[in-house]
Amino acid sequence: MGAAAGLTWQRLRDLGLSELTEAADGWRAVSAFADAARERVDGDMSGSLARTQNGESARSAVRRLKRLGENYHYIHSGTGLVRGTLDALAAELGAPQRRLRDALEDAVSLGYAVNDNGSVDYPAGGRDELTGTPFPGGAVAGDNGLVGAGNPGRYFDANGMYDPARASGAPWLKSPNPHRAKAQEIADRIAHALREAHEIDERYSSALNRLKAAPGLAVSTTTWADVASDTDAVGRAAQPYLERTLPLDGSPAERKAWWDHLGKEQREEYISAFPQLIGNLDGIPATARDEANRENLQLLIGRLGARHDDASRDMLGGLTRIQEKLEQGGDPPMYLLGIGEKGNGRAIIAYGNPDTADNVSAYVPGLGTKLDAEFADGTVNRALQTALGAQEADPGSRTSSIVWLGYDAPQTTPGDLTSGRSVMFTNDAESGAPDYNAFMAGISATHEGGSPHVTAVGHSYGSLTVGLAAQAEGGIPGADDIILVGSPGTGTDSAQDLNVGNGHVFVGAADNDIVTKLPSHGEATGMASGAVGGASAGFVLGAGMAGPPGALIGGGAGAVVGGIGSYMAQDAQAEPSARWFGTDPASRDFGATRFLVDDGETIVEDRGELSAHSNYFDPAKNQPSADNIANIVVGRSERITLEAPR
């Protein structure tokens, strides 16, 4: 279409929507061919050559094949966008076309003439009691009210249907000629259908006009940034269509039912045209989310590669490393279940397919976690360690181990302290808990067997997120067990509040992990007061002995000594099990099962992490903890080694 000003009711009536869908089918065939060609180049040709040949000639050939594969990938993405746009355009135009045709049929049945400009002629009718003659006929034009988001027209409901109640006060209804009101209704319906079609045409024309390939064969970061921009434009154009056709506000189970009713080609279209939506929609099967998110990953890399701020560079480093890991493959295989640039970044990665696994664990990381290279190389590796440990613990079962960065974990920047979003506050956990529960409900909805053994795992501040999620009505969907490691508290004083039953909350707390011994609010108040007083005294004494340098040193030492002294004084009066976010999960008072872990060391490692706090999942650094976590994940908690509660 692309010429909204020239759209007449005659053109809308006669528009062959099947031609649009046939064109979309043609683009689908091109997209499918390009995708198949890319798989052959990347797998059969490039992969085989890299495995069987060595030397500079072979490496040069692999590089050329990689560029060819990138070209096919670009063709697949671009043609998929065209296909999705055309199909969505045809689907949206179908509604105003049907309404127009219905109005025209009503005009014919009543003997009214519809003029070229959309006005409707009506005949004489009724009877003038004074003259004994019928009231004269005439012509009426349709409602000229603008149609847009939230404004379907003065006399129409939100679905675009004519609403007599809205028109009940219109002055033309008082005409003594009964044909006048009927003709006006038909004219309004015609005008409304045209205006709606105009709005649809303008939205999609703007998106389609963007879908042009750049000249040349090089597919660069700039090229993918352009594709990402095109994808955003198509998404904006199709937003009303998506809101009407997808159960975006539905439960994961409702979304799974919707997905199951789609044909294979429809699913492919949604994945290629709307990867960001499908890839991050709870209730969509893991293989489909993985396919969509791999596509979206490339678009995000292109988009962020065009930016130059520190946050974008950090996130780009994480995305690039995730892409490398996905391309490397391995056993168990990786599935990308979520990816995005919201906040500090979003990434949900599984080792093993959660839809076919006998056991599923979903680990929530904590303080300082964001989508960067450290996340991709460190945090993600914890999920892999759990997956490998589960394979060893129960070789006869299949396990999917997931790391869920679906929220903004608190960071350690000064701005967080003043914004109310630091580790001292529950804001981030409160925001993340509902999203975690929605994800877990999606795991239950898409599982092919229906009832895997599910373990929710929270580390550090992530244990607060898991704890709050578990305290929601009904608890964490599908969860059989909960593991808390390095926890500063869960927001409650009892394991009973976590809704998994007696004996199903497990806690690992290294004695040298100071995060598990964070003071209660009362103790922290005492520490702060003592630190301030101690720093003042130390500053004065240090200045008297060694001038300004001594003042700084003395002030720092005084703060430490004063803080410790006040903490000890306050601690003597506080409950031993009290922590910043509730009762210590490792304490007897909390009522969880504490499992054995190595005590570790209270040192800061190269990456700025506390040693004892960071190694719960690593069998090379904390074998007892990793083994116990693996046994709980595979449902063999009777095998774990226990440790006395605090």
Side-chain angles (χ1 to χ4, degrees):
M1 297 184 60
L7 179 61
T8 64
W9 67 261
Q10 294 94 335
R11 288 186 66 191
L12 179 59
R13 177 197 61 191
D14 299 333
L15 181 64
L17 298 182
S18 61
E19 296 177 9
L20 289 174
T21 56
E22 288 170 2
D25 287 342
W27 287 102
R28 181 196 64 77
V30 175
S31 182
F33 172 82
D35 195 39
R38 179 186 64 162
E39 289 184 357
R40 185 163 184 266
V41 168
D42 290 347
D44 298 345
M45 298 171 66
S46 178
S48 176
L49 187 62
R51 287 190 300 270
T52 60
Q53 302 294 324
N54 197 7
E56 183 54 36
S57 296
R59 287 190 290 271
S60 177
V62 169
R63 287 194 294 270
R64 290 196 295 272
L65 287 171
K66 182 174 178 61
R67 288 196 294 271
L68 179 60
E70 280 291 290
N71 275 278
Y72 280 127
H73 187 186
Y74 174 62
I75 294 170
H76 166 68
S77 298
T79 53
L81 284 175
V82 176
R83 171 201 179 187
T85 306
L86 290 174
D87 268 340
L89 172 61
E92 282 212 63
L93 284 174
Q97 185 183 66
R98 286 190 299 273
R99 285 195 278 271
L100 171 68
R101 289 176 174 177
D102 289 343
L104 295 175
E105 289 178 5
D106 288 346
V108 170
S109 68
L110 292 170
Y112 303 163
V114 179
N115 300 310
D116 288 348
N117 64 359
S119 62
V120 177
D121 292 337
Y122 62 92
R127 183 179 180 82
D128 189 332
E129 297 296 335
L130 295 178
T131 64
T133 59
F135 292 105
V140 291
D143 172 23
N144 289 321
L146 296 176
V147 175
N151 179 26
R154 282 181 291 178
Y155 308 129
F156 297 82
D157 63 22
N159 295 316
M161 303 303 294
Y162 189 81
D163 185 355
R166 291 172 182 250
S168 60
W172 44 260
L173 283 178
K174 300 176 182 178
S175 170
N177 185 340
H179 292 293
R180 168 70 188 273
K182 296 177 182 177
Q184 185 69 61
E185 177 190 339
I186 292 173
D188 282 345
R189 289 160 60 193
I190 292 171
H192 178 268
L194 272 175
R195 287 195 306 275
E196 186 180 9
H198 275 302
E199 188 272 331
I200 293 169
D201 179 81
E202 289 174 352
R203 272 193 285 118
Y204 283 94
S205 293
S206 176
L208 283 168
N209 286 336
R210 295 179 58 95
L211 302 181
K212 299 176 183 178
L217 295 176
V219 178
S220 63
T221 298
T222 302
T223 306
W224 284 115
D226 185 60
V227 176
S229 180
D230 292 345
T231 303
D232 292 341
V234 170
R236 287 192 298 270
Q239 188 63 30
Y241 163 73
L242 296 172
E243 289 175 351
R244 285 196 296 269
T245 56
L246 274 71
L248 297 178
D249 295 328
S251 67
E254 290 170 333
R255 295 169 186 165
K256 175 61 163 55
W258 166 79
W259 185 260
D260 286 345
H261 282 87
L262 296 178
K264 181 176 182 293
E265 292 184 358
Q266 289 177 299
R267 295 174 185 172
E268 291 174 352
E269 179 179 321
Y270 277 112
I271 289 172
S272 62
F274 312 108
Q276 183 175 6
L277 175 62
I278 298 302
N280 293 287
L281 200 60
D282 297 320
I284 303 301
T287 53
R289 290 182 71 161
D290 177 65
E291 183 179 352
N293 282 318
R294 288 177 188 241
E295 188 69 27
N296 191 36
L297 176 63
Q298 182 64 68
L299 301 180
L300 285 170
I301 289 174
R303 183 182 294 122
L304 292 170
R307 302 175 187 171
H308 304 291
D309 57 284
D310 290 340
S312 295
R313 281 193 287 267
D314 284 348
M315 202 173 295
L316 181 61
L319 294 171
T320 303
R321 285 294 296 128
I322 289 172
Q323 186 178 59
E324 291 171 357
K325 286 175 175 284
L326 289 167
E327 291 175 350
Q328 289 169 0
D331 184 26
M334 286 178 68
Y335 292 82
L336 190 57
L337 303 182
I339 199 74
E341 58 177 319
K342 180 181 178 181
N344 293 324
R346 301 288 187 265
I348 307 172
I349 296 171
Y351 283 96
N353 187 346
D355 291 345
T356 58
D358 302 299
N359 314 295
V360 178
S361 68
Y363 147 56
V364 182
L367 175 65
T369 310
K370 61 181 179 178
L371 180 52
D372 58 6
E374 170 53 32
F375 170 81
D377 290 325
T379 308
V380 170
N381 195 49
R382 293 172 182 168
L384 175 59
Q385 289 166 338
T386 297
L388 295 175
Q391 285 183 352
E392 185 176 343
D394 188 358
S397 67
R398 297 165 297 179
T399 297
S400 175
S401 176
I402 302 168
V403 54
W404 184 86
L405 184 60
Y407 81 125
D408 279 331
Q411 302 299 302
T412 55
T413 60
D416 289 327
L417 294 173
T418 57
S419 68
R421 294 192 60 248
S422 81
V423 72
M424 297 167 59
F425 302 98
T426 62
N427 305 46
D428 290 326
E430 290 171 354
S431 297
D435 292 334
Y436 181 70
N437 278 345
F439 173 76
M440 297 299 276
I443 293 295
S444 295
T446 59
H447 195 271
E448 296 176 10
S451 58
H453 177 260
V454 176
T455 306
V457 185
H459 173 234
S460 188
Y461 187 90
S463 67
L464 176 62
T465 305
V466 169
L468 294 179
Q471 291 170 68
E473 184 177 358
I476 298 171
D480 298 288
D481 294 309
I482 291 175
I483 297 176
L484 309 169
V485 287
S487 176
T490 61
T492 186
D493 295 326
S494 173
Q496 293 290 335
D497 297 332
L498 302 187
N499 289 305
V500 287
N502 290 332
H504 290 277
V505 178
F506 301 90
V507 176
D511 278 347
N512 289 323
D513 181 355
I514 61 174
V515 175
T516 70
K517 298 180 179 180
L518 285 180
S520 67
H521 288 258
E523 292 169 327
T525 301
M527 287 179 70
S529 300
V532 172
S536 300
F539 185 91
V540 173
L541 292 174
M545 291 186 293
L552 294 177
I553 296 171
V560 173
V561 173
I564 293 173
S566 292
Y567 167 72
M568 293 175 66
Q570 190 71 36
D571 185 52
Q573 304 173 38
E575 287 291 331
S577 60
R579 293 294 179 266
W580 188 261
F581 294 123
T583 297
D584 177 11
S587 70
R588 190 176 305 278
D589 292 340
F590 189 75
T593 301
R594 186 182 183 190
F595 56 83
L596 180 68
V597 303
D598 280 342
D599 290 340
E601 298 179 85
T602 311
I603 60 172
V604 178
E605 297 182 316
D606 293 339
R607 294 183 302 226
E609 297 177 333
L610 295 169
S611 174
H613 184 63
S614 305
N615 297 327
Y616 289 101
F617 302 90
D618 190 343
K621 296 182 178 180
N622 198 333
Q623 186 75 56
S625 177
D627 287 348
N628 285 325
I629 290 172
N631 277 304
I632 296 166
V633 164
V634 299
R636 303 300 298 270
S637 59
E638 73 277 3
R639 293 179 176 176
I640 67 174
T641 306
L642 301 181
E643 185 167 4
R646 290 173 177 166

